[in-house]
Short mmCIF file of all heavy atoms in Angstrom, two decimals:
data_model
loop_
_atom_site.label_atom_id
_atom_site.label_comp_id
_atom_site.label_asym_id
_atom_site.label_seq_id
_atom_site.Cartn_x
_atom_site.Cartn_y
_atom_site.Cartn_z
N LEU A 119 40.09 -20.19 197.47
CA LEU A 119 41.40 -20.48 198.08
C LEU A 119 41.20 -21.14 199.42
O LEU A 119 41.99 -22.06 199.77
CB LEU A 119 42.15 -19.12 198.23
CG LEU A 119 43.56 -19.21 198.88
CD1 LEU A 119 44.43 -20.14 198.06
CD2 LEU A 119 44.16 -17.87 199.04
N LEU A 122 40.55 -24.72 198.86
CA LEU A 122 41.75 -25.46 198.48
C LEU A 122 42.56 -25.87 199.71
O LEU A 122 43.00 -27.05 199.78
CB LEU A 122 42.61 -24.56 197.56
CG LEU A 122 42.24 -24.48 196.15
CD1 LEU A 122 43.10 -23.44 195.37
CD2 LEU A 122 42.48 -25.86 195.44
N TRP A 123 42.67 -24.95 200.67
CA TRP A 123 43.46 -25.28 201.83
C TRP A 123 42.73 -26.24 202.77
O TRP A 123 43.37 -27.01 203.51
CB TRP A 123 43.86 -23.98 202.52
CG TRP A 123 45.04 -23.34 201.90
CD1 TRP A 123 45.02 -22.41 200.91
CD2 TRP A 123 46.42 -23.67 202.10
NE1 TRP A 123 46.26 -22.06 200.51
CE2 TRP A 123 47.17 -22.82 201.22
CE3 TRP A 123 47.13 -24.53 202.96
CZ2 TRP A 123 48.57 -22.89 201.16
CZ3 TRP A 123 48.47 -24.55 202.89
CH2 TRP A 123 49.21 -23.76 202.04
N CYS A 125 40.90 -28.74 201.65
CA CYS A 125 41.18 -30.01 201.03
C CYS A 125 42.66 -30.42 201.21
O CYS A 125 42.94 -31.63 201.27
CB CYS A 125 40.88 -29.99 199.56
SG CYS A 125 39.09 -29.80 199.19
N LEU A 126 43.54 -29.44 201.27
CA LEU A 126 44.96 -29.77 201.44
C LEU A 126 45.32 -30.14 202.89
O LEU A 126 46.29 -30.91 203.09
CB LEU A 126 45.78 -28.53 201.03
CG LEU A 126 47.31 -28.62 201.16
CD1 LEU A 126 47.83 -29.75 200.27
CD2 LEU A 126 47.97 -27.30 200.80
N LEU A 127 44.50 -29.74 203.85
CA LEU A 127 44.83 -29.97 205.25
C LEU A 127 45.13 -31.43 205.58
O LEU A 127 46.11 -31.73 206.24
CB LEU A 127 43.74 -29.40 206.15
CG LEU A 127 43.96 -29.46 207.63
CD1 LEU A 127 45.24 -28.65 208.00
CD2 LEU A 127 42.77 -28.92 208.43
N PRO A 128 44.25 -32.42 205.16
CA PRO A 128 44.55 -33.80 205.46
C PRO A 128 45.90 -34.29 204.93
O PRO A 128 46.60 -35.05 205.57
CB PRO A 128 43.38 -34.58 204.84
CG PRO A 128 42.31 -33.58 204.75
CD PRO A 128 42.94 -32.29 204.47
N PHE A 129 46.24 -33.78 203.76
CA PHE A 129 47.58 -34.13 203.18
C PHE A 129 48.69 -33.56 203.98
O PHE A 129 49.73 -34.18 204.19
CB PHE A 129 47.67 -33.64 201.74
CG PHE A 129 46.70 -34.32 200.79
CD1 PHE A 129 45.55 -33.65 200.33
CD2 PHE A 129 46.90 -35.62 200.33
CE1 PHE A 129 44.71 -34.29 199.44
CE2 PHE A 129 46.04 -36.26 199.48
CZ PHE A 129 44.93 -35.59 199.05
N LEU A 130 48.50 -32.34 204.49
CA LEU A 130 49.55 -31.70 205.33
C LEU A 130 49.75 -32.47 206.59
O LEU A 130 50.88 -32.62 207.08
CB LEU A 130 49.16 -30.25 205.65
CG LEU A 130 49.14 -29.27 204.44
CD1 LEU A 130 48.69 -27.87 204.89
CD2 LEU A 130 50.50 -29.21 203.76
N VAL A 131 48.63 -32.96 207.19
CA VAL A 131 48.75 -33.80 208.41
C VAL A 131 49.56 -35.05 208.11
O VAL A 131 50.40 -35.47 208.89
CB VAL A 131 47.32 -34.17 208.93
CG1 VAL A 131 47.46 -35.17 210.06
CG2 VAL A 131 46.62 -32.89 209.43
N GLY A 132 49.22 -35.70 206.98
CA GLY A 132 49.94 -36.90 206.62
C GLY A 132 51.42 -36.67 206.36
O GLY A 132 52.29 -37.44 206.76
N MET A 133 51.73 -35.51 205.74
CA MET A 133 53.15 -35.18 205.46
C MET A 133 53.89 -34.85 206.75
O MET A 133 55.04 -35.12 206.94
CB MET A 133 53.22 -34.05 204.49
CG MET A 133 52.69 -34.41 203.12
SD MET A 133 52.78 -33.09 201.88
CE MET A 133 54.50 -33.09 201.59
N ALA A 134 53.13 -34.25 207.72
CA ALA A 134 53.71 -33.99 209.04
C ALA A 134 54.08 -35.27 209.73
O ALA A 134 55.13 -35.38 210.41
CB ALA A 134 52.77 -33.19 209.90
N MET A 136 55.08 -37.96 208.30
CA MET A 136 56.31 -38.43 207.65
C MET A 136 57.55 -37.74 208.27
O MET A 136 58.55 -38.35 208.50
CB MET A 136 56.29 -38.13 206.15
CG MET A 136 55.16 -38.92 205.43
SD MET A 136 54.95 -38.36 203.71
CE MET A 136 56.59 -38.66 203.02
N LEU A 137 57.37 -36.46 208.59
CA LEU A 137 58.53 -35.68 209.15
C LEU A 137 58.88 -36.14 210.58
O LEU A 137 60.04 -36.03 210.96
CB LEU A 137 58.19 -34.22 209.16
CG LEU A 137 58.02 -33.49 207.77
CD1 LEU A 137 57.60 -32.07 207.94
CD2 LEU A 137 59.35 -33.60 206.99
N MET A 145 48.53 -40.34 206.87
CA MET A 145 47.96 -40.00 205.58
C MET A 145 46.61 -40.66 205.42
O MET A 145 46.42 -41.80 205.82
CB MET A 145 48.86 -40.49 204.46
CG MET A 145 48.48 -39.96 203.05
SD MET A 145 48.75 -38.16 202.85
CE MET A 145 50.54 -38.11 202.68
N GLN A 151 42.02 -39.63 199.50
CA GLN A 151 42.95 -38.81 198.74
C GLN A 151 42.41 -38.52 197.33
O GLN A 151 42.48 -37.43 196.83
CB GLN A 151 44.35 -39.46 198.67
CG GLN A 151 45.04 -39.62 199.99
CD GLN A 151 46.44 -40.20 199.81
OE1 GLN A 151 47.15 -39.89 198.90
NE2 GLN A 151 46.80 -41.17 200.69
N LEU A 154 39.40 -36.05 197.47
CA LEU A 154 39.89 -34.66 197.72
C LEU A 154 40.62 -34.13 196.51
O LEU A 154 40.39 -32.96 196.08
CB LEU A 154 40.77 -34.64 198.94
CG LEU A 154 40.17 -34.94 200.30
CD1 LEU A 154 41.19 -34.98 201.40
CD2 LEU A 154 39.10 -33.88 200.64
N ALA A 155 41.49 -34.92 195.91
CA ALA A 155 42.23 -34.47 194.73
C ALA A 155 41.28 -34.19 193.59
O ALA A 155 41.49 -33.26 192.81
CB ALA A 155 43.27 -35.51 194.35
N VAL A 158 39.47 -30.91 194.07
CA VAL A 158 40.39 -29.81 193.78
C VAL A 158 40.63 -29.73 192.29
O VAL A 158 40.53 -28.59 191.69
CB VAL A 158 41.73 -29.99 194.56
CG1 VAL A 158 42.76 -29.02 194.04
CG2 VAL A 158 41.51 -29.83 196.04
N GLN A 159 40.96 -30.82 191.66
CA GLN A 159 41.38 -30.81 190.23
C GLN A 159 40.26 -30.35 189.28
O GLN A 159 40.51 -29.59 188.37
CB GLN A 159 41.85 -32.20 189.86
CG GLN A 159 42.57 -32.28 188.52
CD GLN A 159 43.96 -31.63 188.64
OE1 GLN A 159 44.71 -31.85 189.59
NE2 GLN A 159 44.33 -30.80 187.68
N ALA A 163 39.92 -25.95 190.96
CA ALA A 163 40.91 -25.50 189.96
C ALA A 163 40.30 -25.18 188.64
O ALA A 163 41.02 -24.99 187.67
CB ALA A 163 41.97 -26.63 189.83
N PHE A 166 41.75 -22.40 186.39
CA PHE A 166 42.95 -22.75 185.66
C PHE A 166 42.63 -23.36 184.28
O PHE A 166 43.24 -23.02 183.26
CB PHE A 166 43.80 -23.72 186.47
CG PHE A 166 44.49 -23.13 187.67
CD1 PHE A 166 43.94 -23.24 188.94
CD2 PHE A 166 45.71 -22.43 187.52
CE1 PHE A 166 44.54 -22.66 190.06
CE2 PHE A 166 46.29 -21.88 188.64
CZ PHE A 166 45.72 -22.01 189.95
N VAL A 185 50.36 -25.39 184.53
CA VAL A 185 49.79 -25.87 185.81
C VAL A 185 48.82 -27.00 185.51
O VAL A 185 48.84 -28.07 186.20
CB VAL A 185 49.10 -24.75 186.54
CG1 VAL A 185 48.34 -25.29 187.78
CG2 VAL A 185 50.13 -23.68 187.01
N GLY A 188 50.61 -30.22 184.28
CA GLY A 188 51.35 -30.90 185.34
C GLY A 188 50.41 -31.57 186.35
O GLY A 188 50.60 -32.78 186.69
N THR A 189 49.37 -30.84 186.83
CA THR A 189 48.52 -31.42 187.90
C THR A 189 47.59 -32.47 187.37
O THR A 189 47.34 -33.48 188.06
CB THR A 189 47.70 -30.29 188.55
OG1 THR A 189 46.91 -29.60 187.61
CG2 THR A 189 48.64 -29.30 189.26
N ILE A 192 49.56 -35.66 187.08
CA ILE A 192 49.76 -36.28 188.40
C ILE A 192 48.45 -36.96 188.82
O ILE A 192 48.50 -38.13 189.31
CB ILE A 192 50.14 -35.19 189.46
CG1 ILE A 192 51.52 -34.67 189.20
CG2 ILE A 192 50.04 -35.79 190.87
CD1 ILE A 192 51.92 -33.54 190.11
N TRP A 193 47.34 -36.31 188.67
CA TRP A 193 46.05 -36.89 189.06
C TRP A 193 45.73 -38.17 188.25
O TRP A 193 45.33 -39.19 188.79
CB TRP A 193 44.93 -35.87 188.86
CG TRP A 193 43.57 -36.41 189.22
CD1 TRP A 193 42.95 -36.43 190.47
CD2 TRP A 193 42.62 -37.08 188.34
NE1 TRP A 193 41.72 -37.01 190.41
CE2 TRP A 193 41.52 -37.44 189.13
CE3 TRP A 193 42.67 -37.42 186.99
CZ2 TRP A 193 40.44 -38.10 188.57
CZ3 TRP A 193 41.56 -38.10 186.44
CH2 TRP A 193 40.46 -38.41 187.26
N HIS A 221 55.47 -44.10 200.29
CA HIS A 221 55.12 -44.48 198.94
C HIS A 221 55.81 -45.78 198.55
O HIS A 221 57.01 -45.92 198.83
CB HIS A 221 55.50 -43.35 197.96
CG HIS A 221 54.58 -42.19 198.06
ND1 HIS A 221 53.20 -42.23 197.97
CD2 HIS A 221 54.83 -40.87 198.26
CE1 HIS A 221 52.65 -41.03 198.09
NE2 HIS A 221 53.62 -40.19 198.25
N TYR A 230 50.46 -39.99 194.04
CA TYR A 230 50.96 -38.64 194.35
C TYR A 230 49.83 -37.62 194.31
O TYR A 230 50.00 -36.51 193.82
CB TYR A 230 52.03 -38.27 193.33
CG TYR A 230 53.23 -39.18 193.31
CD1 TYR A 230 53.29 -40.33 192.49
CD2 TYR A 230 54.30 -38.90 194.18
CE1 TYR A 230 54.37 -41.19 192.49
CE2 TYR A 230 55.39 -39.82 194.17
CZ TYR A 230 55.43 -40.92 193.35
OH TYR A 230 56.50 -41.72 193.37
N PHE A 231 48.70 -38.00 194.86
CA PHE A 231 47.58 -37.05 194.86
C PHE A 231 47.92 -35.75 195.64
O PHE A 231 47.47 -34.67 195.25
CB PHE A 231 46.34 -37.70 195.54
CG PHE A 231 45.66 -38.75 194.66
CD1 PHE A 231 45.56 -40.08 195.09
CD2 PHE A 231 45.13 -38.36 193.43
CE1 PHE A 231 44.96 -41.00 194.33
CE2 PHE A 231 44.48 -39.34 192.63
CZ PHE A 231 44.39 -40.66 193.08
N GLU A 232 48.69 -35.93 196.69
CA GLU A 232 49.02 -34.71 197.49
C GLU A 232 49.84 -33.75 196.69
O GLU A 232 49.78 -32.53 196.90
CB GLU A 232 49.80 -35.13 198.78
CG GLU A 232 51.23 -35.56 198.59
CD GLU A 232 51.42 -36.95 198.13
OE1 GLU A 232 50.42 -37.67 197.83
OE2 GLU A 232 52.55 -37.40 198.06
N ALA A 233 50.68 -34.22 195.73
CA ALA A 233 51.49 -33.32 194.93
C ALA A 233 50.64 -32.40 194.12
O ALA A 233 50.91 -31.18 194.03
CB ALA A 233 52.41 -34.15 194.06
N GLY A 234 49.66 -32.96 193.40
CA GLY A 234 48.80 -32.15 192.55
C GLY A 234 47.97 -31.13 193.37
O GLY A 234 47.87 -29.95 192.95
N VAL A 235 47.48 -31.58 194.53
CA VAL A 235 46.68 -30.63 195.36
C VAL A 235 47.59 -29.50 195.88
O VAL A 235 47.19 -28.32 195.86
CB VAL A 235 46.03 -31.39 196.53
CG1 VAL A 235 45.39 -30.39 197.46
CG2 VAL A 235 45.05 -32.42 196.02
N MET A 236 48.83 -29.83 196.29
CA MET A 236 49.69 -28.83 196.80
C MET A 236 50.12 -27.85 195.73
O MET A 236 50.22 -26.62 195.97
CB MET A 236 50.94 -29.46 197.47
CG MET A 236 50.65 -30.18 198.76
SD MET A 236 52.11 -30.71 199.61
CE MET A 236 52.74 -29.11 200.18
N VAL A 237 50.38 -28.32 194.54
CA VAL A 237 50.79 -27.45 193.42
C VAL A 237 49.67 -26.38 193.20
O VAL A 237 49.93 -25.21 193.11
CB VAL A 237 51.03 -28.24 192.18
CG1 VAL A 237 51.14 -27.33 190.97
CG2 VAL A 237 52.37 -29.00 192.28
N ILE A 238 48.42 -26.87 193.08
CA ILE A 238 47.30 -25.98 192.81
C ILE A 238 47.13 -24.98 193.99
O ILE A 238 46.91 -23.76 193.77
CB ILE A 238 46.01 -26.75 192.57
CG1 ILE A 238 46.14 -27.52 191.24
CG2 ILE A 238 44.79 -25.81 192.51
CD1 ILE A 238 45.00 -28.48 190.96
N ALA A 239 47.20 -25.49 195.21
CA ALA A 239 47.02 -24.60 196.36
C ALA A 239 48.13 -23.56 196.45
O ALA A 239 47.86 -22.38 196.70
CB ALA A 239 47.02 -25.44 197.61
N PHE A 240 49.36 -23.95 196.20
CA PHE A 240 50.47 -23.03 196.28
C PHE A 240 50.39 -21.97 195.16
O PHE A 240 50.58 -20.76 195.40
CB PHE A 240 51.83 -23.72 196.24
CG PHE A 240 52.20 -24.44 197.52
CD1 PHE A 240 53.22 -25.39 197.56
CD2 PHE A 240 51.51 -24.18 198.68
CE1 PHE A 240 53.54 -26.00 198.71
CE2 PHE A 240 51.80 -24.79 199.86
CZ PHE A 240 52.85 -25.74 199.89
N VAL A 241 50.09 -22.44 193.97
CA VAL A 241 49.99 -21.49 192.84
C VAL A 241 48.84 -20.51 193.06
O VAL A 241 49.01 -19.30 192.83
CB VAL A 241 49.79 -22.26 191.53
CG1 VAL A 241 49.52 -21.30 190.38
CG2 VAL A 241 51.04 -23.09 191.19
N ARG A 242 47.70 -21.03 193.52
CA ARG A 242 46.56 -20.09 193.74
C ARG A 242 46.86 -19.14 194.91
O ARG A 242 46.46 -17.98 194.83
CB ARG A 242 45.31 -20.92 194.08
CG ARG A 242 44.03 -20.06 194.18
CD ARG A 242 43.71 -19.51 192.79
NE ARG A 242 42.73 -18.38 192.91
CZ ARG A 242 43.07 -17.11 192.98
NH1 ARG A 242 44.35 -16.76 193.00
NH2 ARG A 242 42.16 -16.18 193.06
N THR A 243 47.57 -19.63 195.91
CA THR A 243 47.94 -18.73 196.99
C THR A 243 48.88 -17.65 196.52
O THR A 243 48.75 -16.49 196.88
CB THR A 243 48.64 -19.49 198.15
OG1 THR A 243 47.73 -20.53 198.62
CG2 THR A 243 49.03 -18.61 199.29
N GLY A 244 49.83 -18.01 195.66
CA GLY A 244 50.77 -17.02 195.10
C GLY A 244 50.02 -16.02 194.26
O GLY A 244 50.32 -14.81 194.34
N VAL A 416 56.93 -33.11 185.63
CA VAL A 416 55.92 -32.21 186.19
C VAL A 416 56.64 -31.07 186.94
O VAL A 416 56.20 -29.92 186.91
CB VAL A 416 54.97 -32.97 187.15
CG1 VAL A 416 54.14 -32.03 187.94
CG2 VAL A 416 54.11 -33.93 186.34
N VAL A 420 56.05 -27.00 186.46
CA VAL A 420 55.63 -26.11 187.53
C VAL A 420 56.63 -25.02 187.85
O VAL A 420 56.27 -23.82 188.05
CB VAL A 420 55.27 -26.92 188.80
CG1 VAL A 420 54.91 -25.99 189.94
CG2 VAL A 420 54.15 -27.87 188.53
N ASN A 739 60.92 -31.52 193.85
CA ASN A 739 59.72 -32.24 193.57
C ASN A 739 58.62 -31.20 193.23
O ASN A 739 58.80 -30.03 193.42
CB ASN A 739 59.29 -33.15 194.75
CG ASN A 739 59.05 -32.32 195.99
OD1 ASN A 739 58.39 -31.29 195.98
ND2 ASN A 739 59.52 -32.86 197.13
N PRO A 740 57.51 -31.63 192.70
CA PRO A 740 56.48 -30.68 192.27
C PRO A 740 55.99 -29.73 193.37
O PRO A 740 55.67 -28.57 193.09
CB PRO A 740 55.30 -31.63 191.81
CG PRO A 740 55.99 -32.86 191.36
CD PRO A 740 57.12 -33.04 192.34
N MET A 741 55.92 -30.24 194.64
CA MET A 741 55.43 -29.34 195.69
C MET A 741 56.42 -28.22 195.96
O MET A 741 56.05 -27.04 196.08
CB MET A 741 55.23 -30.14 197.01
CG MET A 741 54.08 -31.14 196.90
SD MET A 741 54.54 -32.70 196.20
CE MET A 741 55.38 -33.45 197.59
N ILE A 742 57.69 -28.54 196.01
CA ILE A 742 58.69 -27.54 196.24
C ILE A 742 58.75 -26.55 195.06
O ILE A 742 58.91 -25.35 195.19
CB ILE A 742 60.08 -28.20 196.51
CG1 ILE A 742 60.09 -29.02 197.75
CG2 ILE A 742 61.21 -27.12 196.55
CD1 ILE A 742 61.37 -29.76 198.01
N ALA A 743 58.62 -27.16 193.87
CA ALA A 743 58.62 -26.31 192.63
C ALA A 743 57.46 -25.36 192.69
O ALA A 743 57.61 -24.16 192.28
CB ALA A 743 58.52 -27.22 191.41
N ALA A 744 56.30 -25.78 193.08
CA ALA A 744 55.14 -24.85 193.17
C ALA A 744 55.35 -23.78 194.19
O ALA A 744 55.03 -22.62 193.91
CB ALA A 744 53.90 -25.68 193.54
N ALA A 745 55.90 -24.14 195.30
CA ALA A 745 56.19 -23.10 196.31
C ALA A 745 57.22 -22.13 195.85
O ALA A 745 57.11 -20.90 196.07
CB ALA A 745 56.61 -23.78 197.62
N ALA A 746 58.23 -22.64 195.15
CA ALA A 746 59.31 -21.78 194.68
C ALA A 746 58.78 -20.84 193.61
O ALA A 746 59.14 -19.66 193.52
CB ALA A 746 60.44 -22.61 194.08
N MET A 747 57.91 -21.39 192.75
CA MET A 747 57.30 -20.52 191.72
C MET A 747 56.51 -19.37 192.32
O MET A 747 56.57 -18.23 191.88
CB MET A 747 56.38 -21.40 190.78
CG MET A 747 55.82 -20.69 189.64
SD MET A 747 54.18 -19.98 190.00
CE MET A 747 53.25 -21.49 190.07
N ALA A 748 55.68 -19.70 193.34
CA ALA A 748 54.86 -18.66 193.97
C ALA A 748 55.77 -17.63 194.67
O ALA A 748 55.54 -16.42 194.57
CB ALA A 748 53.93 -19.29 195.01
#
Side-chain angles (χ1 to χ4, degrees):
L119 180 59
L122 280 171
W123 280 92
C125 292
L126 178 61
L127 186 59
F129 293 106
L130 293 177
V131 172
M133 296 181 71
M136 296 170 59
L137 293 176
M145 190 69 74
Q151 295 183 41
L154 293 174
V158 169
Q159 193 70 45
F166 288 97
V185 173
T189 58
I192 292 174
W193 179 88
H221 286 307
Y230 299 90
F231 287 119
E232 75 280 4
V235 174
M236 290 189 71
V237 166
I238 292 173
F240 285 167
V241 172
R242 186 67 195 92
T243 301
V416 170
V420 175
N739 62 42
M741 292 84 78
I742 296 176
M747 185 269 288

